[in-house]
Amino acid sequence: MREFRAAVEARNGEAFDGLLADDVTFTSPVAFKPYKGRHITAAILRGVLRVFEDFHYLREINDGDDHALIFEAMVDGKKITGCDFIHVNDAGKIDDFMVMVRPLSAAQALSAAMGAQFGTISEEAVAAAQAEAVAAGSEA
């Protein structure tokens, strides 16, 4: 979890990809359906870095392969408090990532800010998947 936390705190969005399992499930606090896969999850996390201001972790709770990282940030002038619930698989990769946030007004601000990012997020995820497919094809 140290690597993930360090990447977030350093706002190093490129580091996420190597920390996520290929089959990771990301459950958003503002979307009904979870997102599946490393590329979309990494792109969402990079999008969050673009919309969160003054992000910092307050506390970390660990129980074996399960981790809870409590954070605060600002979104569109609203203070948001949240928690990243993270599970790592046997290989040490994040395979389940769920975020919860409060209060409702901040969650709504987050929803609007992430909605504005989603075109970019989708493009990043598709481009990463295509680049990986090309690289895999050239290795064959």
Side-chain angles (χ1 to χ4, degrees):
M1 203 44 38
R2 247 180 243 131
E3 285 180 79
F4 175 78
R5 186 172 175 170
V8 172
E9 290 173 335
R11 302 185 71 82
N12 180 359
E14 299 310 310
F16 296 139
D17 197 62
L19 303 174
L20 302 171
D22 288 339
D23 62 348
V24 62
T25 299
F26 179 83
T27 305
S28 165
V30 296
F32 179 73
K33 224 169 98 176
Y35 296 92
K36 294 269 193 189
R38 177 171 47 93
H39 299 300
I40 189 66
T41 300
I44 290 169
L45 294 174
R46 286 190 297 272
V48 170
L49 288 180
R50 291 190 292 266
V51 301
F52 275 171
E53 300 169 16
D54 302 323
F55 178 91
H56 56 280
Y57 283 115
L58 300 172
R59 192 168 64 219
E60 183 174 335
I61 302 165
N62 299 306
D63 183 19
D65 294 335
D66 293 299
H67 309 272
L69 288 83
I70 301 162
F71 64 85
E72 286 182 340
M74 297 291 289
V75 177
D76 196 27
K78 297 195 180 336
K79 182 178 176 183
I80 191 166
T81 303
C83 189
D84 294 335
F85 294 97
I86 298 171
H87 181 267
V88 295
N89 63 18
D90 291 340
K93 303 276 186 177
I94 297 169
D95 64 356
D96 190 63
F97 195 118
M98 179 176 61
V99 182
M100 299 182 101
V101 297
R102 65 157 311 278
L104 178 59
S105 61
Q108 290 167 329
L110 177 60
S111 179
M114 289 302 291
Q117 288 283 320
F118 224 81
T120 302
I121 289 168
S122 297
E123 290 170 8
E124 286 180 10
V126 168
Q130 289 173 339
E132 187 173 279
V134 167
S138 67
E139 292 175 7

